[in-house]
Amino acid sequence: MNQLSLLIILLAALVIPLAMARFKITFLPTAVVEIIVGVFLGPSLFNWITDFNTLDILQNVGVIFLLFLSGMEIDFSLFKKKPTNLSPLAQKDEQNQPKYSVLRIAGMGYASIVAMSFGMGYVLKISGLFSDIWLAAILFMTISLGIVIAGLKEKELLSKPFGQAILLIAALGEVVPMIGLTFYASAYSPHSKSLWLILLILVVAALLFWRFKAFFRFFDQINKSTTQVDIRLSFFMIVTLVTVAESVGAEGILGAFLAGIVIKLLEPHEETKVRLDSIGYGFFIPIFFIMSGVNLNLRTLITNPQTLMLIPVIFIGYILAKALIFFALKLRFKNTNAIAGTAMSVTTITVVLAVLQVASHLNRITNQQSGAFLLSAVLTCVFGPMIFNKLYSAEAEDLKKSTVHFIGTNLTTVPVAQQLAKGWYKVTMYTNNQHNYRAFNSETTIHLLKSMDPKVMIENGVFDADVVVLGQINSEKNYELAKIAKKYGVPRVIVRFEDRNILDERRDELNSLGVELYNTPDVNISMLRSLIEAPSTMRMMTSTESSVYEVALRNSRYADIQVRNVPFIDKITITQIYRDKRFIRPSGGTSLKLNDRIIFTSSKTEAPEVRRELGKLN
């Protein structure tokens, strides 16, 4: 019977995502559906699952792995202070930034959550429904980082200011309650020890980080498919920090969460994160979510009048605890998006399950109260994402085109500028040659400068762009301006060098600065060689219907997908992939990797959408 219970759980874990895909159930997170299915499989309805030691162990491993992966989801770049010695471009960008930064909005938003959470805990106490203010406050201030990330990924918002604000609030919604739970458990556990011993967990985590901080630098040299050293390191981190946490009287889930943070700070390869996700979400975590539903006995809950009264009160409490986020978000974002972000921040399930598990072990909460908090949390995960998906729309700052500035107007640069202006680029050209200005001014947007003196160019905003193309024939001048542009802070500088002597002498210096180089002879030689080796190259390059394009794969949705399984592969032909400083000629079974530079052919009407889809940060 025990083996049959495990078999039923694993079958449910397999069928749930398949059924959700088949019936296009996108308004509910998978974790919530797994809990609901667990309710049906447990004593609430069919009573097909019999709890036994192996399931308890797998469930505990599931929550540990879930908190470990949650620690790995935190984006620590959001906490970094901006440098004070900004370049002129960065200083100008700083001046043009909205008054309220993402970090400030998130800080104000989560501060309001903490205050409201204690307020809701006090309300429950004076109403007689729940007497533990501290435990209630910890539960109310939790946010499900996993569900928030899933929702933001779906809308491709992780790299946008709005998405970063919600992500940071959600990250605090896991970190702060975890710290609070640690002190709470230490205070009420019969096996509690001195609170200062909890600092030993941080010391051990810091030592592990220091010891392994160079691990991924030589990882590629030692890793084999039969060793999977990165995965072994991850499990070593988990077991070590969980053991230390439990030894000093804290909860094991805190150690698991810190283990995830340590691995994140070690900057693992994307493949490492994918494999850990596969282990966690492929086996242990679904068991934890399904068993959480199994342990929720609705028959007992609905027969208790106090519990029935508690469920709507707690659900409203979850909402009110996050309500003031709206006022923080509306300082920078649209009102409808502020409501959408508030709704997404209401969602909570992950840490709630962990807190309830700890509280039950400490006998600080009854089964009925625990069930009420859990059911209310499930409801937040149903309504929160639905409202978010319904209300969110793109912010104006997310719709800005990339700016490209050309320095030099000639028969090479002007046609390129004209073509780019038809796409997702805002193109401006600059010249100090009056003859060229008169010749090409009617063709595209050109500004006539007094001179190519750097001060004049800075005053006219020449370097205030995402991409600067130095297309003049004067290689010496291009070299000087390229260095100034990079020092100014231009993200991409593309330089034309016709003088091979200057190029050969200064190539290493410019490469170290991140300057991208090209010259006409090399381009012509490469084109002629391609024309000989592949006769259709010229037709492809000059065709009015199709052309060759390149894009860096930044969208993790397409990472580790075989070429034949790319959804729009019928619209493109991938000719080469540049990976790890070498070219790969792909086949249908070749898997794409993050940061691959994909060279493909496609029609000129479909290529921009394909490039946006593959290239957007997600």
Side-chain angles (χ1 to χ4, degrees):
M1 189 65 186
N2 292 343
Q3 290 178 322
L4 182 60
S5 296
L6 180 58
L7 178 63
I8 292 172
I9 290 174
L10 294 179
L11 178 62
L14 173 64
V15 171
I16 287 170
L18 295 175
M20 291 180 69
R22 173 66 179 82
F23 297 105
K24 299 180 180 179
I25 301 174
T26 57
F27 63 92
L28 285 177
T30 305
V32 174
V33 177
E34 287 169 346
I35 293 173
I36 293 172
V37 170
V39 170
F40 281 89
L41 297 176
S44 299
L45 192 60
F46 298 121
N47 200 21
W48 288 349
I49 305 298
T50 301
D51 197 3
F52 61 103
N53 289 338
T54 302
L55 273 182
D56 288 339
I57 293 171
L58 292 174
Q59 183 179 0
N60 289 332
V61 173
V63 70
I64 285 173
F65 219 93
L66 180 63
L67 269 296
F68 167 74
L69 293 178
S70 295
M72 287 190 67
E73 293 287 4
I74 297 176
D75 183 3
F76 289 96
S77 65
L78 296 175
F79 296 90
K80 291 180 180 178
K81 283 187 176 182
K82 293 185 177 180
T84 54
N85 56 336
L86 296 175
S87 65
L89 174 62
Q91 290 175 358
K92 188 166 184 177
D93 287 343
E94 187 77 7
Q95 294 170 359
N96 293 333
Q97 286 295 320
K99 180 180 179 181
Y100 295 94
S101 67
V102 166
L103 189 61
R104 187 177 178 185
I105 288 173
M108 291 189 296
Y110 197 75
S112 73
I113 292 176
V114 173
M116 290 294 290
S117 296
F118 279 102
M120 292 308 304
Y122 182 73
V123 169
L124 287 181
K125 180 178 175 63
I126 62 175
S127 66
L129 295 174
F130 191 73
S131 59
D132 195 328
I133 295 178
W134 288 96
L135 181 58
I138 292 172
L139 287 163
F140 283 131
M141 69 176 69
T142 60
I143 301 173
S144 183
L145 181 61
I147 291 176
V148 169
I149 287 176
L152 295 177
K153 278 185 178 180
E154 194 68 29
K155 293 284 188 180
E156 316 289 359
L157 294 175
L158 287 181
S159 61
K160 303 293 192 301
F162 178 80
Q164 290 175 356
I166 303 302
L167 179 64
L168 185 51
I169 291 172
L172 292 170
E174 287 213 341
V175 174
V176 175
M178 285 298 301
I179 296 173
L181 178 63
T182 299
F183 285 98
Y184 179 86
S186 299
Y188 290 102
S189 173
H191 308 292
S192 64
K193 301 179 182 180
S194 299
L195 287 176
W196 69 267
L197 287 175
I198 295 175
L199 296 176
L200 287 177
I201 311 174
L202 301 178
V203 172
V204 173
L207 289 174
L208 288 171
F209 171 72
W210 176 80
R211 176 63 185 83
F212 291 100
K213 64 181 179 180
F215 177 82
F216 285 97
R217 295 179 189 172
F218 63 91
F219 167 72
D220 291 326
Q221 302 173 19
I222 62 175
N223 191 48
K224 299 177 181 178
S225 60
T226 55
T227 57
Q228 302 291 332
V229 185
D230 52 342
I231 306 302
R232 297 186 187 194
L233 174 65
S234 300
F235 276 99
F236 170 75
M237 291 283 187
I238 294 171
V239 174
T240 300
L241 289 173
V242 167
T243 302
V244 172
E246 293 180 346
S247 299
V248 299
E251 289 298 319
I253 54 176
L254 175 64
F257 189 73
L258 285 175
I261 291 176
V262 172
I263 292 294
K264 175 74 172 183
L265 291 173
L266 291 177
E267 298 180 352
H269 293 178
E270 187 64 28
E271 292 82 358
T272 299
K273 179 65 167 61
V274 170
R275 287 195 290 268
L276 289 170
D277 278 345
S278 300
I279 295 170
Y281 290 104
F283 183 70
F284 293 110
I285 295 174
I287 294 176
F288 168 66
F289 282 129
I290 292 173
M291 284 302 299
S292 298
V294 170
N295 295 330
L296 191 62
N297 193 333
L298 290 182
R299 292 182 181 180
T300 305
L301 291 176
I302 61 178
T303 57
N304 189 319
Q306 186 179 18
T307 304
L308 287 177
M309 184 187 302
L310 195 58
I311 291 173
V313 172
I314 293 176
F315 177 66
I316 294 172
Y318 280 132
I319 296 173
L320 293 179
K322 316 293 170 48
L324 296 183
I325 296 177
F326 167 78
F327 297 100
L329 293 175
K330 75 187 294 288
L331 293 173
R332 177 166 176 175
F333 307 110
K334 296 186 294 188
N335 286 345
T336 52
N337 285 351
I339 297 173
T342 303
M344 181 58 79
S345 301
V346 168
T347 58
T348 181
I349 192 70
T350 309
V351 182
V352 164
L353 287 167
V355 173
L356 292 176
Q357 188 179 63
V358 171
S360 296
H361 291 162
L362 298 176
N363 296 316
R364 300 291 301 175
I365 192 170
T366 66
N367 289 336
Q368 288 75 21
Q369 291 170 335
S370 178
F373 273 103
L374 179 55
L375 275 177
S376 302
V378 170
L379 290 176
T380 66
C381 295
V382 173
F383 291 103
M386 287 177 60
I387 295 172
F388 175 78
N389 291 330
K390 183 73 174 176
L391 294 182
Y392 178 80
S393 60
E395 292 283 336
E397 61 185 317
D398 298 335
L399 299 175
K400 292 181 180 177
K401 293 184 176 183
S402 298
T403 55
V404 181
H405 289 180
F406 284 83
I407 301 173
T409 54
N410 48 58
L411 292 175
T412 301
T413 57
V414 171
V416 175
Q418 290 174 323
Q419 293 181 27
L420 289 176
K422 298 175 183 177
W424 199 249
Y425 297 95
K426 182 180 180 182
V427 179
T428 307
M429 305 195 75
Y430 297 88
T431 184
N432 66 333
N433 187 312
Q434 293 198 17
H435 174 74
N436 286 356
Y437 175 77
R438 289 193 297 269
F440 297 112
N441 188 41
S442 61
E443 304 294 330
T444 186
T445 304
I446 302 177
H447 290 179
L448 180 63
L449 302 175
K450 296 179 182 178
S451 70
M452 286 296 176
D453 181 78
K455 291 184 179 179
V456 174
M457 299 175 75
I458 291 173
E459 290 173 358
N460 284 272
V462 177
F463 297 132
D464 296 331
D466 300 304
V467 182
V468 168
V469 181
L470 294 160
Q472 304 173 106
I473 197 169
N474 188 332
S475 298
E476 188 66 44
K477 188 65 175 178
N478 285 345
Y479 164 71
E480 295 296 336
L481 290 176
K483 291 195 299 180
I484 293 171
K486 290 307 293 185
K487 185 178 181 180
Y488 188 84
V490 180
R492 290 188 64 196
V493 179
I494 302 173
V495 186
R496 176 185 180 184
F497 273 98
E498 299 301 340
D499 191 326
R500 290 304 301 259
N501 294 325
I502 296 177
L503 176 59
D504 292 341
E505 290 174 5
R506 295 159 184 180
R507 184 190 299 272
D508 292 341
E509 178 189 0
L510 292 173
N511 284 337
S512 66
L513 292 174
V515 174
E516 301 168 55
L517 312 172
Y518 78 96
N519 66 60
T520 306
D522 283 350
V523 171
N524 290 338
I525 291 169
S526 299
M527 176 57 66
L528 180 58
R529 177 183 171 185
S530 298
L531 185 59
I532 294 170
E533 294 179 343
S536 61
T537 300
M538 184 58 72
R539 288 195 297 272
M540 194 180 302
M541 295 294 292
T542 59
S543 171
T544 58
E545 296 181 357
S546 63
S547 189
V548 180
Y549 301 91
E550 179 181 338
V551 62
L553 179 60
R554 304 176 70 199
N555 193 336
S556 60
R557 174 180 295 178
Y558 302 103
D560 296 297
I561 289 182
Q562 292 180 333
V563 168
R564 67 167 65 95
N565 294 327
V566 174
F568 40 80
I569 192 61
D570 57 324
K571 299 179 181 179
I572 66 175
T573 299
I574 299 178
T575 55
Q576 282 189 319
I577 297 173
Y578 187 71
R579 177 188 301 163
D580 297 329
K581 298 181 180 180
R582 63 190 180 92
F583 282 100
I584 299 172
R585 192 177 297 277
S587 64
T590 302
S591 295
L592 301 179
K593 301 293 182 182
L594 282 181
N595 300 316
D596 279 353
R597 299 201 73 85
I598 301 170
I599 301 168
F600 67 95
T601 58
S602 175
S603 71
K604 293 184 177 180
T605 57
E606 294 174 336
E609 180 59 34
V610 171
R611 293 185 68 194
R612 279 196 294 271
E613 183 65 20
L614 292 173
K616 59 189 170 187
L617 182 63
N618 177 26

